[in-house]
Each structure stands twice: as structure tokens, then as C-alpha cells.
Amino acid sequence: MSLLERRIRLEVEQHAPGCRPSLWLARTDGRELLALDADRILPAASTLKILLLVEGFGAELEGTFRWTDEVTLQDSDRVGGAGTLQLERTGSTWTYQQLARRMIAESDNTASNILLRRLERAAVNRRAGLLGLPNTHFERDFLDFSARREGRENVSTAREMGRLMRMIFRREILSPEACDGMIAILERTSRGRIARGVPKDIPVGHKAGSL
């Protein structure tokens, strides 16, 4: 067991006894640092919004989607939880780019579901497969509790979500310009706990999720 793993396990034992962590870390050059139960399939919560962002940029490159297209907010679009789009006026118009920024910066569930319906769940899951993420997929909308009770869950693993972020950071998927666009959106997220201890002049792109 490496020193890093021992330190992490000690922190978990001290601050979250009984917790079973799944963790995957890599250097910016791509080398793996640590894999701790990294292949366990888990509910992905809002971290899966990163895959939705990737599909949007991929569909744009393929000519089947434009971020500048507009959509009108309907009462039926509103869901609770994170995000302020649910508070906006019915009939208000938004570009998909505006929705993507809310989806990442605010973890907006209403914006995410609108994007998921437009991009189509099957296409998003197909993208995950093409990227070599076989255990990462959508089974339901965000905050669809009835589907969750039926056993349908949005899932991933620590390794696969980490690899996806690494591919974006290293500009290894879609195009360098698309990755730059995704990074710019991810860096607009509130720094919060993930960036704690990182000097403020160093940008941090991330997406948290909770259940």
C-alpha cells in the first residue's frame, strides 16, 4: 500500500467511519497515481452531467446539434433540486449553451433534463461506449424518483469518470477546440471543496455530485 493510499484511508477512517470510498487519481501527464476500489459501479448523480456536455460538443461537430439554437421553457420542464432555471418565467427562451453553463456551474437539473431530451439518452450512452466507458450510462432523467424506485439508475465508476476528465484535459477526444470549450465551462463552477488548498490563480475545472 502506497503512502498516499494509507493517508487517504486514515482520513476516511477518522472523518467518515464506515464509508467505502472509490477513488481514481492521475497526473496531468496521464499516468495513474492511485486506484482505490475504482471499478465499483455507483450512482453517478450530477457528475454524469459531464458526459452530457461531451455529447453536446460531439453532436455539434457531427452537425446534428447547435449550441446557439433556442428552446422555450415549459412548466413541464421544471424539476426541483439544484439550479435556478426552475424559477424562470414559463415561456422564456434560452440557448442550449446557456443551459449547459447552468447545468455545470449550478448543477441545474431542469437545464440538464432539457439537454438530455434534446440530445437523446441513447446517443449519450452510445458516446460513452465510443469513449471506452462501458459502465457509464443514463437510465433516467435527473430527479426522476419513480424511475429510481423501479431500479433505473444513472451510473459510472471512479475510474471511468476520472478517465473522461483526463481525456478532456489532455484534449484527446472530439477536437482540441471542443475540449477547450468544455474546460472553459467546467472552470466556471464554484471552486468549493474540490479546489480547497489550490492557489486561487490556478483554474480548477470540475463537477461535483451528491445523492
Side-chain angles (χ1 to χ4, degrees):
M1 184 185 296
S2 68
L3 176 61
L4 177 59
E5 183 175 344
R6 284 199 299 271
R7 290 181 62 184
I8 289 172
R9 289 188 181 278
L10 180 60
E11 288 290 322
V12 171
E13 185 177 326
Q14 289 179 340
H15 300 289
C19 175
R20 181 185 171 191
S22 291
L23 180 66
W24 187 82
L25 298 174
R27 297 180 184 275
T28 55
D29 63 7
R31 288 181 294 164
E32 182 177 290
L33 269 177
L34 177 66
L36 185 61
D37 202 10
D39 297 312
R40 180 160 57 109
I41 299 174
L42 295 166
S46 288
T47 62
L48 211 54
K49 292 168 183 174
I50 300 168
L51 178 61
L52 196 48
L53 185 68
V54 171
E55 175 58 24
F57 276 90
E60 182 182 47
L61 284 174
E62 293 161 0
T64 60
F65 173 75
R66 293 187 302 182
W67 288 115
T68 53
D69 283 349
E70 296 182 340
V71 62
T72 300
L73 181 66
Q74 308 293 333
D75 277 331
S76 58
D77 293 325
R78 303 179 198 277
V79 293
T84 57
L85 187 63
Q86 60 183 301
L87 305 177
E88 299 290 353
R89 178 178 56 83
T90 298
S92 56
T93 302
W94 306 85
T95 66
Y96 288 111
Q97 185 176 56
Q98 289 174 314
L99 298 185
R101 289 172 176 166
R102 287 188 180 226
M103 174 178 72
I104 299 299
E106 301 180 21
S107 203
D108 195 299
N109 293 312
T110 298
S112 301
N113 283 343
I114 294 172
L115 278 166
L116 182 58
R117 286 193 291 271
R118 170 59 183 84
L119 294 168
E120 299 184 0
R121 186 188 308 162
V124 179
N125 291 340
R126 188 161 52 248
R127 182 76 59 185
L130 292 172
L131 294 174
L133 310 173
N135 297 309
T136 298
H137 54 85
F138 279 91
E139 292 293 335
R140 60 174 177 81
D141 286 356
F142 293 98
L143 264 67
D144 186 344
F145 296 115
S146 61
R148 194 176 182 194
R149 285 191 294 271
E150 294 170 1
R152 288 185 281 147
E153 188 56 275
N154 301 332
V155 297
S156 187
T157 70
R159 189 188 304 275
E160 290 191 6
M161 290 308 299
R163 287 183 56 235
L164 180 58
M165 290 292 276
R166 182 177 65 178
M167 288 187 285
I168 295 170
F169 177 80
R170 291 173 58 79
R171 280 76 171 175
E172 294 174 342
I173 58 175
L174 304 180
S175 73
E177 294 77 17
C179 289
D180 286 342
M182 288 185 272
I183 290 169
I185 292 174
L186 289 162
E187 287 180 351
R188 291 167 63 101
T189 305
S190 173
R191 292 173 71 88
R193 291 174 295 175
I194 288 180
R196 185 179 299 165
V198 179
K200 291 185 177 180
D201 61 332
I202 298 176
V204 177
H206 71 91
K207 180 72 198 77
S210 61
L211 291 171

